[in-house]
Amino acid sequence: MRRLEETGDTFFPLRSLSQKLPQEILEALSSQARGRTVNAPALETYRRKRDFSKTTEPAPALPRSSSQGSRRRFVIQKHNASHLHYDFRLEMHGVLKSWAVPKGPPVKEDERRLAMATEDHPIEYLDFEGIIPKGQYGGGTVMVWDIGTYDLAEGNYYRGYLRFFLNGAKLKGEWTLTRLPSDERQKWQLLKTNGNTRTISRKRDDQSVLSNRTMKQIEKDADAQWNSNR
Ligand code: MN
């Protein structure tokens, strides 16, 4: 207090000092604002279906882009909900475009599997493995069945046609996703194109590529945590 009496408030000039922020900070701030307004509605359905005070799944955050440049990430999560299925997700437009594939990805050329488009998921969902509590939307065990990067060779989500190469721990090769001509816009088909890929053994099918755990072990551990170090 004595010093204040002697020297006065040295921070006083800050009140009237106008400052200029560096250009890169201004740009970062405005692109963040853009992200908020452009991408938030994409996750509205995801948000609406879940109670984030109860589920273990990540709440949507500000979208962040891949650190891998043009190589985008994909994940396939084995999900033992009311029906066992595989959730196929491609990182695209700041979200994970998602399909539920009841029978899992095909491995033989020309094999096709039904893929039902589901709501966009936040990027944070990429390495979610654990348990969604019973009674919550999609309640059940979730395993990171495969994860990796993909290269889009051709197509566009909104046209209902995507041909891409997966480079995962289990799946490597080319697949094609095509929206089926039907009234329900969510019906797609996942097709193995351009050759066979390695068949997944029964043991490998029940093994997480993140933790090596089986569905039973994930359920028993009940940790429901997701590794943010990926
Ligand atoms: Mn699911």
Side-chain angles (χ1 to χ4, degrees):
M1 289 311 285
R2 197 184 311 129
R3 187 176 136 74
L4 184 67
E5 274 165 30
E6 282 167 14
T7 62
D9 182 0
T10 51
F11 284 92
F12 187 79
L14 280 182
R15 294 177 168 195
S16 53
L17 192 72
S18 68
Q19 292 186 75
K20 257 193 168 166
L21 289 172
Q23 190 57 31
E24 56 266 36
I25 293 191
L26 288 174
E27 276 165 19
L29 286 174
S30 74
S31 75
Q32 240 183 28
R34 270 202 305 278
R36 208 170 265 138
T37 50
V38 172
N39 287 316
L43 293 169
E44 208 30 59
T45 311
Y46 176 88
R47 195 191 307 270
R48 209 172 45 233
K49 288 183 169 181
R50 289 168 177 78
D51 178 351
F52 292 104
S53 66
K54 296 200 177 115
T55 185
T56 47
E57 299 164 289
L62 269 183
R64 54 186 164 94
S65 55
S66 170
S67 52
Q68 288 154 314
S70 65
R71 300 194 89 196
R72 312 261 182 95
R73 293 167 294 182
F74 82 95
V75 65
I76 301 175
Q77 278 146 328
K78 193 173 176 179
H79 186 187
N80 193 3
S82 47
H83 301 279
L84 181 78
H85 59 273
Y86 296 75
D87 287 304
F88 184 69
R89 311 188 198 280
L90 296 175
E91 178 179 27
M92 203 181 281
H93 313 305
V95 295
L96 296 174
K97 291 286 172 198
S98 301
W99 294 262
V101 184
K103 291 189 174 164
V107 293
K108 294 241 159 58
E109 182 164 19
D110 289 336
E111 242 180 6
R112 49 201 70 207
R113 298 281 164 80
L114 177 70
M116 295 300 282
T118 55
E119 77 273 19
D120 295 345
H121 277 53
I123 303 284
E124 284 71 16
Y125 215 93
L126 261 174
D127 49 9
F128 174 74
E129 179 172 284
I131 295 183
I132 303 171
K134 282 212 175 71
Q136 294 306 300
Y137 181 73
T141 312
V142 178
M143 168 200 279
V144 175
W145 188 83
D146 201 9
I147 197 166
T149 55
Y150 77 94
D151 285 303
L152 188 62
E154 193 188 359
N156 168 328
Y157 183 88
Y158 300 99
R159 293 224 166 138
Y161 177 76
L162 296 161
R163 187 166 64 83
F164 48 86
F165 295 91
L166 298 181
N167 187 18
K170 284 177 184 164
L171 299 184
K172 291 185 201 306
E174 188 194 285
W175 280 261
T176 302
L177 266 166
T178 317
R179 193 193 290 126
L180 294 173
S182 82
D183 297 342
E184 315 152 72
R185 301 265 299 165
Q186 67 266 43
K187 253 189 191 168
W188 292 59
Q189 183 174 267
L190 179 61
L191 172 70
K192 181 70 193 75
T193 42
N194 200 12
N196 303 340
T197 187
R198 263 184 33 210
T199 317
I200 311 288
S201 70
R202 198 170 273 216
K203 180 174 176 252
R204 193 94 170 105
D205 177 64
D206 194 26
Q207 192 174 44
S208 159
V209 295
L210 273 195
S211 65
N212 286 327
R213 293 180 299 176
T214 64
M215 288 296 268
K216 277 227 172 76
Q217 284 166 337
I218 296 170
E219 194 183 333
K220 222 176 70 200
D221 291 351
D223 54 8
Q225 52 188 307
W226 49 302
N227 310 314
S228 47
N229 58 347
R230 262 187 176 253

